[in-house]
Amino acid sequence: MRRWLWCAVLAVSMVARAQEGRPPAHDAQPAHRVTVEHEGQEKVDTSTYILEHVADSPEVEFQVPLSDKEFILRFPVWRIPLKAVACPASTEEPAKLSEGCLDISLTKHTFWMLVGSVIVVLLFTFGANRNPNQPVPHGARQNILEMLVIFVRNEVAIPNIGKEEGPKYTPYLLSVFFFILTLNLLGLVPWASTATGNLGVTLALALCTFLLTQIAGIKAAGLGGYLKHLTGGAPVLMWIIMIPVEILGLFTKPFALMLRLFANMLAGHIVLFSLLGLIFIIGHVAVSIVAVPFAIFIYLLELFVAFLQAYIFVMLSALFIGMGVAMGHDEHGHEEHEAHDEAHAKPQLAASPANAPG
């Protein structure tokens, strides 16, 4: 499971950082300093505060509770020139992949992804039952982990992929489930950030499922059967229509995975901060009587959504992988059906009066 997890983290980190440009470091200001002058008084710019909180940045801020003190962790700039003199000499200038400069610097979301991966690895390294003489788990931690693992295997992997192939893909589904769940829950911790609210992160996770789905289809049906499936079983004259439609259908599945997880996690945090921001927008403490209870309700709803979105991502991943595995069953089914028809046609041919002996 750790092997799958580290592969997923590496893919997510590379895709999340391989962007066209990176905002300059001086543009990333601490959120609490985003203020505007209004009638001689400083007011918090709520919209800017919210957008900077959910956006990625080259630094992580930790504020001391009930004080104005904060600690800012700024990450070093790591750039790989793919061409000669492709990267700017100044780290303040954004790196552009189109010009041949690959920026793999750590960011806020990448940092919390690494934290989440370490938590998952430590959780299963020290929390799982590794005593062969005592197969029954003891304690709340071991029982909860076993319950979630068995749920993903028996209720997600096997029903959607099959009894034979389902257990083979269970390690990947478990890695993705606990990885996404941990990132979602980290986003609910004060001063932390939701990495799954980054479109690059969800894109990389969706690409992992997409690649595994294609591998499962080729492995089950063979390369010829996989390519034959792109025709949709239509006549040759219809291939010009069916092949583009089938290819488009291959990419709509990971697109739905990417967008669903990104939109749900991003929208929840924006709604939560918008409710609390009403106190500063209206500028009266009485607003907190309504805003704070609603914000608590949204926070609890986000806690439920964190589990729900991890489950939906894994469920749809298992469903797509199962559709790839089913290609092989379709090919074997067609072959068996043709052999069955030929076996039935021979006795009928021999039993006809025209073919009778004499």
Side-chain angles (χ1 to χ4, degrees):
M1 178 176 178
R2 280 178 288 179
R3 178 182 60 184
W4 284 104
L5 180 63
W6 287 118
C7 290
V9 171
L10 180 61
V12 168
S13 301
M14 293 300 294
V15 174
R17 290 308 310 138
Q19 301 172 352
E20 286 295 321
R22 182 167 175 265
H26 59 76
D27 289 341
Q29 299 294 332
H32 78 280
R33 289 202 295 263
V34 180
T35 58
V36 294
E37 292 290 337
H38 180 71
E39 296 181 357
Q41 296 181 351
E42 286 189 349
K43 292 187 65 176
V44 177
D45 188 354
T46 309
S47 60
T48 305
Y49 182 95
I50 296 173
L51 292 177
E52 288 193 354
H53 175 78
V54 299
D56 203 2
S57 65
E59 61 186 23
V60 177
E61 304 169 7
F62 301 96
Q63 188 172 4
V64 179
L66 303 178
S67 71
D68 294 333
K69 296 181 180 179
E70 67 174 9
F71 300 95
I72 301 178
L73 177 62
R74 292 184 174 86
F75 301 111
V77 178
W78 297 331
R79 294 174 177 176
I80 300 177
L82 304 179
K83 299 178 183 178
V85 198
C87 295
S90 175
T91 58
E92 300 293 326
E93 299 181 20
K96 296 182 179 179
L97 185 61
S98 59
E99 297 179 358
C101 184
L102 178 62
D103 190 354
I104 58 171
S105 305
L106 285 177
T107 63
K108 178 172 62 176
H109 290 159
T110 310
F111 171 79
W112 288 112
M113 278 194 298
L114 295 175
V115 172
S117 63
V118 170
I119 291 175
V120 174
V121 171
L122 293 178
L123 182 64
F124 279 90
T125 301
F126 299 101
N129 181 24
R130 298 180 178 274
N131 186 4
N133 299 324
Q134 187 66 39
V136 179
H138 291 278
R141 182 177 63 253
Q142 292 183 3
N143 280 280
I144 291 174
L145 289 178
E146 183 185 41
M147 177 189 67
L148 293 175
V149 169
I150 293 177
F151 173 79
V152 172
R153 185 192 65 185
N154 295 349
E155 303 298 332
V156 177
I158 293 178
N160 291 285
I161 304 177
K163 292 184 178 180
E164 296 182 359
E165 299 293 331
K168 298 179 182 179
Y169 296 96
T170 300
Y172 168 75
L173 297 176
L174 286 172
S175 300
V176 173
F177 175 78
F178 284 102
F179 183 61
I180 294 177
L181 178 61
T182 304
L183 295 185
N184 292 347
L185 294 177
L186 280 176
L188 298 176
V189 178
W191 298 290
S193 181
T194 307
T196 46
N198 187 319
L199 196 59
V201 175
T202 57
L203 171 62
L205 291 171
L207 284 177
C208 292
T209 296
F210 172 75
L211 293 176
L212 194 59
T213 301
Q214 308 315 310
I215 293 172
I218 296 174
K219 183 179 178 181
L223 183 59
Y226 175 82
L227 296 176
K228 182 180 178 181
H229 188 269
L230 295 179
T231 64
V236 178
L237 296 177
M238 295 293 294
W239 285 8
I240 192 173
I241 299 176
M242 293 304 301
I243 292 179
V245 171
E246 290 292 332
I247 293 177
L248 182 63
L250 294 178
F251 292 96
T252 55
K253 298 180 181 69
F255 179 78
L257 279 178
M258 171 193 70
L259 204 59
R260 179 181 287 105
L261 180 59
F262 161 75
N264 280 278
M265 300 313 301
L266 181 65
H269 285 71
I270 291 178
V271 171
L272 178 62
F273 277 94
S274 298
L275 287 172
L276 294 176
L278 291 175
I279 303 174
F280 302 96
I281 294 174
I282 299 176
H284 200 285
V285 70
V287 182
S288 62
I289 300 176
V290 178
V292 172
F294 270 96
I296 294 175
F297 171 75
I298 295 297
Y299 184 89
L300 297 177
L301 184 62
E302 278 290 287
L303 185 62
F304 169 73
V305 170
F307 285 86
L308 180 63
Q309 290 304 315
Y311 165 74
I312 291 177
F313 192 96
V314 171
M315 173 63 76
L316 292 178
S317 297
L319 182 63
F320 297 153
I321 294 172
M323 293 170 64
V325 172
M327 292 184 188
H329 298 163
D330 293 340
E331 291 297 320
H332 295 312
H334 287 309
E335 293 175 359
E336 293 177 359
H337 184 67
E338 292 174 358
H340 181 73
D341 290 344
E342 292 178 0
H344 278 274
K346 290 180 180 179
Q348 292 176 1
L349 184 64
S352 63
N355 297 319

